[in-house]
Amino acid sequence: MKAITVSGLIILAFASGAYAATLTGEQLKSELVGHPIHWKSKTQSGVTTYKPDGTIEATVDGDKATYKGTWSIKGNKICEKFDKEKCATINSLGAKKYSKGAGTFTVE
C-alpha cells in the first residue's frame, strides 16, 4: 500500500501560500526531468526523479523501498502513475523551488 501513499504524496504533497507562476508543459520538461527532486509534506519527505524515458522513481525517507511508475505531461500538468494516474499543476517559487498540491520541493 506504500505505492498508493507515494503516488498521492508526490501529487498532493506540495503547496505554498506564496504567489507562484504555473509552469507550462515545456517548462515542466526542462526544469524537472532528469533532476533529483527533494520534496517535503506535512508528514513525509523523500526524493523523486522524472527520467527522460517517461519512468519515475521515488523514495520516502525512512523507507528502504524504491517506488517506480510512469510520468507524462498533459497540457500544463504533470501526471504520475504508480497505481492510478494523478495529474497536477506545478508552480515556480523561484530559486529552483516549487509548489504542488500540499507541500514544496526543490530541484537539484
Side-chain angles (χ1 to χ4, degrees), residues 23-26 28-29 72-79 89:
L23 297 181
T24 66
E26 286 302 314
L28 290 168
K29 286 180 190 174
S72 62
I73 294 175
K74 295 181 180 177
N76 291 338
K77 293 184 177 187
I78 193 154
C79 301
T89 57

Side-chain angles (χ1 to χ4, degrees), residues 3 5-14 32 37 39 48-50 54-58 69-74 77-88 90 100 105:
T5 301
V6 170
S7 180
L9 181 64
I10 294 169
I11 287 293
L12 300 176
F14 306 102
L32 304 181
I37 297 168
W39 53 265
T48 297
T49 302
Y50 297 101
T55 61
I56 184 173
E57 288 188 3
T70 59
W71 67 269
S72 62
I73 294 175
K74 295 181 180 177
K77 293 184 177 187
I78 193 154
C79 301
E80 301 167 345
K81 185 175 182 182
F82 288 93
D83 57 334
K84 180 180 175 184
E85 184 176 72
K86 296 180 181 181
C87 301
I90 296 180
K100 178 172 113 176
F105 65 95

Side-chain angles (χ1 to χ4, degrees), residues 7-62:
S7 180
L9 181 64
I10 294 169
I11 287 293
L12 300 176
F14 306 102
S16 172
Y19 173 77
T22 300
L23 297 181
T24 66
E26 286 302 314
Q27 289 171 318
L28 290 168
K29 286 180 190 174
S30 67
E31 295 184 32
L32 304 181
V33 176
H35 305 283
I37 297 168
H38 297 268
W39 53 265
K40 186 173 184 177
S41 72
K42 292 180 183 180
T43 60
Q44 292 180 305
S45 59
V47 178
T48 297
T49 302
Y50 297 101
K51 296 185 174 189
D53 66 359
T55 61
I56 184 173
E57 288 188 3
T59 58
V60 176
D61 293 341

